[in-house]
Amino acid sequence: MSARDRIDIDPPYDYPAYKSTILRSPKQPLLRVAPHPMEATGPVFPRKFVTDSEADLTTWGKGAPLGEKMILTGRVTDEDGAPVRNSLLELWQCNSSGRYAHPVDQHDAPLDPNFLGQGKVLTGDKGEYRFVTIKPGAYPWKNHPWAWRPAHIHLSLFGNAYSQRLVTQLFFPGDPLLPIDPIFNSVPDESARQRMVCELDLEHGIEEVALGYRFDIVLRGVKSTPMGV
Amino acid sequence: MAIRTPSQTIGPFFHVGLKWEAGEKVAFESPGGRVILTGRVHDGAGNPSADALIETWQAGPDGRAPVPGSAARVTGYSRAATDADGRYTIETVMPGACTGADGKKLPPQIHVTIFARGLLKALRTRVFLAEPAAIKGDPLARAAGPRVGTLIALRDAKDSGTWRWDVRFQGKDETAFIEI
């Protein structure tokens, strides 16, 4: 937890309701140590690291993917409100049937030859970003009886400093699976959980083509240091 | 102050979105001494973690944060997924010495971020590419105390450019992770 957090924002490592944490959560407390000078710096991604087509997940195949087309827009800022510019944002998700284009995913739902489920962009001058994709489906997993993940999109962000690195998940408003998802509910604070739920945003959709959803992302401030150091 | 967006696990399917071409080969604009950093990631039962993702960040040979040139690549940063044996391998160069807050030179170290199914937030630490005697004064080595051995890569006896470093999430030799 950062010294500037008044509440626990992030989930704990040890959260047995999500079974995979049991053998992978460290038992020793994290060490507190003065920041290394490299932690305030971070990798720089050249504009050419991404291509424009990587913002649109619906144009990789010979035809349109199945599912509900959606436009995902938002801004990336830090907790002081400063825009996070020119920063890599990567996205991955399952298809509209709830199946990932991944060899480990054995869920008996159809693959979509027109949907790979990967995208990346660099944020703009105001920290803004925009993806075109389809709404992912829910899918069952083996964590507990009747376990189904709510529809979600994985997001990976670098910010502008190594200390800002974040991987999170985006969820959809009103999803009845949210209250029973241990991963979503591993975040202890309700207002922090709501940070992971996007909002319907019709204006940024495309009339008669795609629904708009808005998802603003807030990274740690660069000035944050571990508590007590 | 705005509430931060919380961390969530990368899950088992991250390869779909986080694969970089030659991501395990760290690019730099200037040449340096070649280093292979390799090892295995183990869970608390001693089993290999086949769905972990290791990322590294480090100073260039000049001790400064690397900045890319005209090529469409990132410099100083790597990303390597573990294989079925839990093994990762990163090709990089020996990081140059950075200067700490007290004005002293810090021993060569690589910043490591570990993601995996079952990790609701990333684990962060640093690994030293130096003999134990050379890191005694480092603030992290002091903070780690008796656990410092978990943060020291071992130079291969036959190939001096290869350093071995394993990660253990739990157990007797649990890796010392740090708060960032």
Side-chain angles (χ1 to χ4, degrees):
Chain A
M1 185 171 76
S2 149
R4 307 195 329 165
D5 292 345
R6 289 179 199 88
I7 51 173
D8 285 333
I9 302 291
D10 290 321
Y13 290 108
D14 185 15
Y15 192 76
Y18 172 29
K19 277 189 183 165
S20 295
T21 67
I22 293 171
L23 286 174
R24 294 184 168 194
S25 51
K27 299 296 180 197
Q28 306 282 335
L30 300 185
L31 299 180
R32 287 178 183 165
V33 58
H36 186 284
M38 286 291 289
E39 290 168 12
T41 68
V44 175
F45 293 91
R47 278 278 152 199
K48 283 185 282 184
F49 193 81
V50 305
T51 60
D52 288 347
S53 65
E54 290 178 291
D56 189 340
L57 285 75
T58 67
T59 53
W60 287 64
K62 289 183 178 153
L66 293 169
E68 196 179 304
K69 195 167 182 177
M70 60 174 271
I71 313 290
L72 178 65
T73 58
R75 276 185 79 206
V76 185
T77 56
D78 71 17
E79 55 193 335
D80 298 311
V84 176
R85 304 184 174 100
N86 209 34
S87 173
L88 184 64
L89 170 49
E90 295 164 289
L91 171 158
W92 72 102
Q93 62 171 89
C94 63
N95 67 25
S96 59
S97 303
R99 176 87 182 261
Y100 287 88
H102 189 290
V104 170
D105 188 358
Q106 297 299 311
H107 173 37
D108 188 19
L111 284 164
D112 183 341
N114 293 316
F115 193 73
L116 293 175
Q118 60 183 89
K120 63 179 192 273
V121 295
L122 289 175
T123 56
D125 286 343
K126 293 174 182 160
E128 75 278 12
Y129 73 90
R130 181 177 187 271
F131 284 106
V132 181
T133 185
I134 50 102
K135 189 176 177 186
Y139 58 84
W141 61 313
K142 295 186 166 70
N143 190 69
H144 57 276
W146 303 104
W148 279 70
R149 291 298 325 277
H152 62 278
I153 294 176
H154 298 266
L155 295 165
S156 160
L157 296 102
F158 279 82
N160 296 131
Y162 178 76
S163 59
Q164 290 184 303
R165 183 91 177 87
L166 175 72
V167 172
T168 188
Q169 297 180 19
L170 168 161
F171 299 90
F172 289 85
D175 192 324
L177 294 171
L178 286 177
I180 57 166
D181 181 44
I183 294 180
F184 176 73
N185 289 292
S186 67
V187 172
D189 181 78
E190 169 65 16
S191 55
R193 279 198 298 277
Q194 291 309 314
R195 264 270 177 250
M196 301 188 291
V197 181
C198 66
E199 289 175 14
L200 186 66
D201 180 11
L202 294 177
E203 281 183 23
H204 285 95
I206 303 171
E207 171 93 24
E208 296 185 16
V209 173
L211 280 174
Y213 287 97
R214 182 169 185 87
F215 190 64
D216 294 327
I217 301 164
V218 181
L219 302 180
R220 272 178 49 173
V222 181
K223 287 167 282 186
S224 300
T225 53
M227 224 170 3
V229 173
Chain B
M1 196 167 73
I3 293 177
R4 285 189 298 113
T5 305
S7 172
Q8 294 274 271
T9 181
I10 62 169
F13 306 126
F14 61 84
H15 312 80
V16 167
L18 298 185
K19 204 172 250 179
W20 287 351
E21 199 178 324
E24 73 287 356
K25 292 183 178 149
V26 189
F28 292 94
E29 290 303 304
S30 51
R34 169 187 163 278
V35 165
I36 305 278
L37 179 65
T38 186
R40 294 174 71 190
V41 180
H42 303 275
D43 71 12
N47 295 318
S49 295
D51 47 14
L53 184 72
I54 302 266
E55 293 183 349
T56 67
W57 170 235
Q58 66 169 89
D62 59 359
R64 294 173 186 277
V67 177
S70 56
R73 63 185 185 184
V74 63
T75 49
Y77 206 90
S78 80
R79 176 182 272 176
T82 54
D83 66 14
D85 295 323
R87 181 169 297 283
Y88 72 92
T89 300
I90 285 155
E91 296 180 39
T92 185
V93 301
M94 183 59 78
C98 296
T99 305
D102 58 2
K104 288 183 184 155
K105 292 282 184 194
L106 299 166
Q109 49 198 289
I110 292 178
H111 301 255
V112 181
T113 301
I114 302 159
F115 299 97
R117 169 180 61 83
L119 286 181
L120 286 161
K121 51 189 171 182
L123 286 166
R124 321 291 294 264
T125 193
R126 302 181 221 146
V127 57
F128 294 101
L129 302 186
E131 304 300 325
I135 65 167
K136 271 184 186 157
D138 184 89
L140 173 57
R142 287 202 302 268
R147 301 175 65 204
V148 70
T150 68
L151 303 181
I152 301 174
L154 298 177
R155 198 190 277 256
D156 189 275
K158 288 179 190 153
D159 175 6
S160 64
T162 295
W163 298 73
R164 300 186 184 281
W165 180 64
D166 290 342
V167 174
R168 289 180 181 83
F169 293 133
Q170 298 176 357
K172 188 169 72 67
D173 296 316
E174 178 181 311
T175 302
F177 300 106
I178 65 175
E179 197 170 299
I180 283 192

